[in-house]
């Protein structure tokens, strides 16, 4: 297990990296259509995520699914 530093709940927290994978996520996008109308659609986007174990000292231990952009 590798120990990494992540940004979780606006804090930098040490955690253990368990898995790294790609997952398709839907993103809400506004697109201009004909005659100046805008349409709201969901676009599938593939992003990288991590499964981490956070060993809190004075809280319940936690498994979290975070995006790779939150890994410091």
């Amino acid at each position: 297990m590798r120990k990494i530093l992540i940004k979780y709940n606006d804090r930098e927290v040490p955690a253990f990296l368990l898995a790294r994978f790609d997952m398709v996520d839907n993103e809400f996008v506004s697109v201009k259509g004909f005659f100046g109308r805008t349409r709201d659609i969901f676009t599938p986007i593939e992003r990288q995520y991590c499964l981490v174990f956070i060993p809190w000292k004075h809280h319940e231990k936690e498994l979290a699914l975070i995006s790779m952009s939150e890994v410091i």
Side-chain angles (χ1 to χ4, degrees):
M1 276 193 270
R2 267 180 42 201
K3 198 167 192 178
I4 59 173
L5 195 62
I6 63 171
K7 188 176 184 182
Y8 189 74
N9 290 338
D10 298 328
R11 297 184 344 191
E12 292 183 358
V13 178
F16 291 102
L17 178 65
L18 298 178
R20 182 175 36 177
F21 52 92
D22 294 335
M23 187 167 70
V24 176
D25 194 14
N26 289 329
E27 185 173 289
F28 188 67
V29 177
S30 295
V31 177
K32 284 194 174 187
F34 293 113
F35 307 113
R37 293 190 315 182
T38 59
R39 293 185 325 168
D40 299 329
I41 60 172
F42 288 103
T43 331
I45 295 176
E46 190 169 313
R47 294 188 176 145
Q48 291 185 342
Y49 282 92
C50 290
L51 179 67
V52 295
F53 173 70
I54 305 171
W56 299 110
K57 286 186 179 181
H58 302 292
H59 298 289
E60 187 174 338
K61 311 306 186 237
E62 188 173 352
L63 285 176
L65 181 68
I66 62 167
S67 71
M68 284 296 287
S69 63
E70 296 174 356
V71 174
I72 298 174

